[in-house]
Amino acid sequence: MMERTTDDEELSVRIVVTGGSGGLGSKVVARVRELGHVAIPASRRWGVDLTTGQGLGAALVGADAVVHCASNPVRPGRTDVEGTVQLLGAIATMPQPAHLVHVSIVGCDANPLPYYRAKVRAEEAVLASGLPATVVRATQFHTLVDTIARMATIGRTRLDLDFSAQPVDVSWFARELVDHALGTPPGGAVRARDIAGPELLTVADAAEAVRAHEGRPATRGLRVPTVGRTLRAFADRSNLPGPDARIGGVGFSDWIARQPARAAS
Ligand SMILES: NC(=O)c1ccc[n+]([C@@H]2O[C@H](COP(=O)([O-])OP(=O)(O)OC[C@H]3O[C@@H](n4cnc5c(N)ncnc54)[C@H](OP(=O)(O)O)[C@@H]3O)[C@@H](O)[C@H]2O)c1
C-alpha cells in the first residue's frame, strides 16, 4: 500500500468514531477510510472509555467531526447518557469543537423501554449543549430484525408479535452518517431527517424470509398478545419512520438473501 503524504493528510478530514468496533461504528470507520479520510476508532478496545472519559481527550485531538456510535443497551444510563455527557464535555474543551454526529433511534421518545429512555436523555443532552451537533435517528437495523425473527421462531412455531419494522441496512446508514460528518457543521445542535430502509414488514414476515432463505421447515404462527407498555408502543408503530424520513439502502428481503445461510442448530 502507498504511504500517505503530508499533503494527503492536510486535505483529509479527521473523524473520531466512538464505538468504532461495533456493528455500525465499524462500517462508519470503513466508509471514512474508503473516502480517503482519517478515521480514529474510539472504544474500550482502543483505550477509550466514555463512562470514565479515559483516553477521550487524546482521541479528539485535531478531530473535525465525531460520529458517536458507542452504546450499551445493558448499561445505557452509564454508557449512553453519562458517556454522551462526558463526550460533550470533552468536545466543549477543544479549541475548535468538532461536529458531533449523534446516533439515536426512531420513536425512542414514544417507548418506555429503559434503553430507549436513555437514548432520549442522551439526545436531550446533545440538543441542549449548544455545540455543533446533528442528531440522526434510525429505525431498527436489519441485523436486529434478523435476531428478533430468529428468537421468534421456536422449532415449528413462530411467535407472531404485533410488531412491524422498516429496518435499515447498516452500511447505508453508515454512509449517511459520514455524509453528515463531512458536511458543513450546523451553527448549534439540530435534528436531521430520520433514516429508514425501504421495506415495511412484520416480525412474522421477517421470520418467514429467514426461514425460506435457510430452507428450514414451515412454521405455524402463534399470535402473541400485546401486553405491557413496551409491546404496546411497538404495536402502535411508534418505531416506524414518518413521511419526512430519508429512505434508502436495500430492504430486509434483499439483505437476508445476501447473507450466508446459518447451519441448523
Ligand atoms: N441496533 C439497532 O437496531 C439500532 C437501530 C437504530 C439506532 N441504533 C443505534 O446505533 C448505535 C450503534 O449500535 P450498534 O448496534 O452498532 O452497537 P454495538 O454493535 O453494540 O456497538 C457498541 C459499541 O460501543 C462501544 N462501547 C460500549 N461501551 C463503551 C464505553 N464505555 N466506552 C466506549 N465505547 C463503548 C463498544 O466497543 P467496546 O466494547 O470496544 O468498548 C462497541 O464498539 C447505538 O447508538 C444504537 O442505539 C441501533
Side-chain angles (χ1 to χ4, degrees):
M1 212 169 86
M2 259 175 51
E3 287 262 309
R4 297 186 66 79
T5 67
T6 311
D7 281 353
D8 283 342
E9 295 234 333
E10 275 168 10
L11 286 174
S12 62
V13 176
R14 192 176 178 87
I15 301 179
V16 171
V17 184
T18 75
S21 56
L24 175 62
S26 58
K27 304 282 190 206
V28 172
V29 168
R31 177 63 177 161
V32 169
R33 291 179 178 163
E34 181 186 55
L35 294 175
H37 298 296
V38 178
I40 313 289
S43 76
R44 292 168 300 183
R45 182 186 292 188
W46 288 283
V48 177
D49 189 338
L50 287 178
T51 63
T52 60
Q54 187 195 357
L56 197 48
L60 288 175
V61 171
D64 300 291
V66 177
V67 182
H68 181 26
C69 306
S71 180
N72 184 346
V74 180
R75 299 176 72 207
R78 286 280 282 143
T79 306
D80 292 74
V81 183
E82 292 171 30
T84 298
V85 171
Q86 283 274 8
L87 179 60
L88 290 166
I91 292 174
T93 64
M94 295 173 74
Q96 172 122 24
H99 174 198
L100 174 64
V101 179
H102 175 82
V103 177
S104 193
I105 305 176
V106 168
C108 59
D109 48 346
N111 192 311
L113 194 66
Y115 181 51
Y116 281 21
R117 283 174 27 197
K119 299 303 289 186
V120 174
R121 286 168 56 207
E123 279 187 358
E124 286 170 351
V126 172
L127 292 170
S129 70
L131 292 168
T134 306
V135 173
V136 192
R137 290 180 173 183
T139 54
Q140 285 68 44
F141 300 166
H142 289 332
T143 42
L144 178 62
V145 169
D146 182 29
T147 302
I148 295 171
R150 288 174 196 276
M151 285 170 60
T153 306
I154 301 167
R156 297 286 191 96
T157 303
R158 195 187 61 229
L159 302 176
D160 287 348
L161 294 157
D162 187 3
F163 180 171
S164 297
Q166 198 168 321
V168 68
D169 175 22
V170 79
S171 298
W172 182 75
F173 181 35
R175 293 170 83 101
E176 291 292 304
L177 292 171
V178 174
D179 286 352
H180 279 296
L182 294 175
T184 307
V190 298
R191 264 227 11 227
R193 288 167 73 193
D194 292 351
I195 294 284
E199 185 181 356
L200 174 64
L201 74 178
T202 62
V203 170
D205 295 334
E208 183 53 24
V210 172
R211 185 202 66 72
H213 172 59
E214 302 201 334
R216 294 178 196 248
T219 51
R220 199 170 42 211
L222 179 70
R223 202 178 149 271
V224 178
T226 302
V227 286
R229 291 191 303 138
T230 295
L231 283 185
R232 268 205 301 279
F234 284 115
D236 288 345
R237 312 287 186 256
S238 60
N239 61 313
L240 297 182
D244 297 336
R246 187 162 156 68
I247 308 291
V250 292
F252 183 83
S253 304
D254 289 338
W255 176 83
I256 196 74
R258 295 176 193 179
Q259 304 308 303
R262 293 191 201 167
S265 50

